[in-house]
Amino acid sequence: MRIALFYHSVRSDWNHGNAHFLRGVASELIAQGHTVQPFEPEDAWSVANLLQDAGPDALTAFSRVYPTLKPRLYQPATLDLEQELDGFDLVIVHEWNEHDLVARIGEHRARNDGYRLLFHDTHHRSLTRHADIARYDLRHYDGVLAFGEVIRDRYLAHGWCERAWTWHEAADTRVFRPLVNEPPEGDLVWVGNWGDDERTSELAEFLFEPASDLGLRTRIHGVRYPRTALEQLDACGIDYGGWLANFDVPRVFARHKVTVHIPRRPYVESLPGIPTIRPFEAMACGIPLVTSPWEDSEGLFHAGSDYLVASSGDEMRRHLRDLISDPAMASELGMQGHRTLLERHTCAHRVDELLYICRELGMTDVFRNQGETKS
């Protein structure tokens, strides 16, 4: 197939947690023999912030790690869809695009029956900012890819689309994998952005205070941390490492003993079954993982064997103390999570799911390049 992907950005992961999965799916599609063209606006907000924070070398590093991903940069006002979409079989539009562009692509699909068109939602706005999602004009889309059942059900219940499929995020195991012989740098590492106060108290309870109380050598990477948060980290003796390229996370994981996952409040309260990309990243790298409470209602993993759950700050302290003091226990937890990830949650698994969806939409030859017919 020839596939067009409209992303906010493929080049930048600055405050763009979806970059991992979007890059991984595109890379996997290319590896399976498909022709993939990402589209990205020239003035993408994430890119502008990345350049301000890290400079042009960050974009050079992206090209080195993902040499097959060559985005077509465009100006929305002058984007000629008749020309740009000519000859494509499948077009996927990610939700981090302007409403006008989403509608324009839908109108183009209404005039051109030669391709299938899907909308890809990986955010909690359908629950937390209902009106914003309702403004997307999806009348001419063939369906929605939703990163959890609760999101899929919401699209259908509100009549925003006629067809929707659950399509969870997953790990790009070409990039995210266990690394060996990395020099140790600390005990605990957490990778995550501040999050607009969506988990401020949770970060204190499940990360800052346990790390400080246990005296763990702790590092945090992420962006958009306000001065008050940086002062809190300093008071807890936690090292703040700032922005970290997503594809450098495996190296940092390999240099620490344990990591934690602290989902934002909307995911805990309203979006059961959606863990975000962070647990996938940790398990792909084989680092022991402890999470604050979230409901794995879709049975993605096995709590207690793939990762540990801390129901309180005190329980987080106990789990972290046990994992740091018992390397064998930590190793088994990391290996089990890694096994589950490889069995069920790689970008290759998600591409297979996508191809089955394409076949549901009448694209009968989507598996041709794999030399097999699937039933």
Side-chain angles (χ1 to χ4, degrees):
M1 291 191 294
R2 293 193 66 218
I3 304 170
L5 305 171
F6 282 83
Y7 293 164
H8 169 75
S9 179
V10 69
R11 296 178 297 162
S12 173
D13 52 44
W14 198 97
N15 202 58
H16 183 11
N18 301 126
H20 172 165
F21 181 59
L22 301 180
R23 291 166 172 173
V25 165
S27 299
E28 180 61 30
L29 284 165
I30 292 170
Q32 292 192 17
H34 303 282
T35 299
V36 176
Q37 180 59 70
F39 286 80
E40 174 182 323
E42 287 184 358
D43 60 350
W45 174 87
S46 179
V47 175
N49 281 279
L50 177 66
L51 291 173
Q52 183 177 358
D53 196 343
D57 287 348
L59 297 183
T60 302
F62 158 78
S63 297
R64 184 176 65 252
V65 177
Y66 297 95
T68 64
L69 300 186
K70 302 181 184 301
R72 161 80 165 85
L73 304 183
Y74 67 89
Q75 285 287 350
T78 59
L79 179 65
D80 185 344
L81 293 176
E82 295 294 338
Q83 175 181 325
E84 297 293 353
L85 295 184
D86 182 45
F88 281 100
D89 303 298
L90 174 65
V91 178
I92 300 177
V93 182
H94 188 243
E95 46 82 14
W96 196 359
N97 279 290
E98 296 297 327
H99 293 82
D100 178 68
L101 177 65
V102 173
R104 285 181 57 201
I105 296 174
E107 292 164 0
H108 181 272
R109 170 69 175 89
R111 300 190 303 269
N112 298 270
D113 196 38
Y115 65 91
R116 296 294 179 265
L117 176 61
L118 296 171
F119 186 71
H120 183 200
D121 192 336
T122 58
H123 202 269
H124 58 66
R125 285 184 298 161
S126 61
L127 278 91
T128 59
R129 293 167 60 186
H130 173 103
D132 195 29
I133 293 296
R135 285 179 53 215
Y136 283 117
D137 183 356
L138 305 178
R139 289 174 296 168
H140 306 301
Y141 282 65
D142 293 289
V144 169
L145 303 171
F147 77 141
E149 290 184 7
V150 65
I151 301 296
R152 180 203 61 192
D153 293 346
R154 194 162 181 82
Y155 271 83
L156 296 173
H158 287 280
W160 294 334
C161 65
E162 293 187 359
R163 305 183 73 177
W165 296 266
T166 299
W167 199 45
H168 281 287
E169 292 183 299
D172 177 6
T173 52
R174 289 179 173 82
V175 176
F176 280 75
R177 61 191 191 279
L179 301 180
V180 297
N181 299 323
E182 290 289 334
E185 290 184 350
D187 300 311
L188 170 63
V189 63
W190 185 71
V191 180
N193 302 321
W194 181 249
D196 301 319
D197 290 328
E198 290 179 341
R199 54 183 167 198
T200 302
S201 61
E202 291 87 347
L203 286 172
E205 179 181 3
F206 291 99
L207 177 58
F208 302 162
E209 294 167 5
S212 178
D213 293 346
L214 295 174
L216 301 181
R217 295 171 298 164
T218 303
R219 169 170 289 189
I220 287 178
H221 285 281
V223 300
R224 302 182 71 191
Y225 280 68
R227 179 178 297 277
T228 54
L230 297 179
E231 291 173 350
Q232 189 174 4
L233 294 182
D234 186 62
C236 291
I238 295 173
D239 177 37
Y240 175 61
W243 172 77
L244 176 70
N246 182 251
F247 46 77
D248 283 333
V249 169
R251 173 180 54 81
V252 173
F253 277 166
R255 296 180 177 188
H256 291 80
K257 297 176 181 178
V258 65
T259 190
V260 300
H261 172 53
I262 304 172
R264 300 171 189 241
R265 204 168 302 120
Y267 292 99
V268 175
E269 296 178 348
S270 305
L271 299 172
I274 302 177
T276 77
I277 194 65
R278 301 305 183 186
F280 295 103
E281 292 179 341
M283 289 184 229
C285 294
I287 185 172
L289 170 67
V290 187
T291 81
S292 60
W294 69 280
E295 183 183 354
D296 186 7
S297 62
E298 297 181 46
L300 298 176
F301 307 109
H302 309 98
S305 56
D306 293 335
Y307 63 95
L308 302 180
V309 180
S311 60
S312 65
D314 287 339
E315 192 168 15
M316 177 64 79
R317 289 174 181 80
R318 290 195 295 272
H319 285 325
L320 292 176
R321 183 187 300 111
D322 290 345
L323 291 168
I324 294 295
S325 63
D326 190 340
M329 173 188 173
S331 177
E332 177 56 32
L333 184 66
M335 288 191 295
Q336 179 55 45
H338 186 234
R339 283 193 290 266
T340 296
L341 188 289
L342 292 181
E343 290 170 357
R344 304 177 60 188
H345 303 301
T346 70
C347 285
H349 290 103
R350 299 301 182 259
V351 164
D352 284 346
E353 294 168 9
L354 176 63
L355 297 182
Y356 278 114
I357 291 169
C358 289
R359 198 169 68 172
E360 283 188 47
L361 294 172
M363 306 174 72
T364 57
D365 61 349
V366 294
F367 291 105
R368 181 177 53 198
N369 289 326
Q370 293 177 294
E372 59 178 308
T373 300
K374 299 193 177 185
S375 59

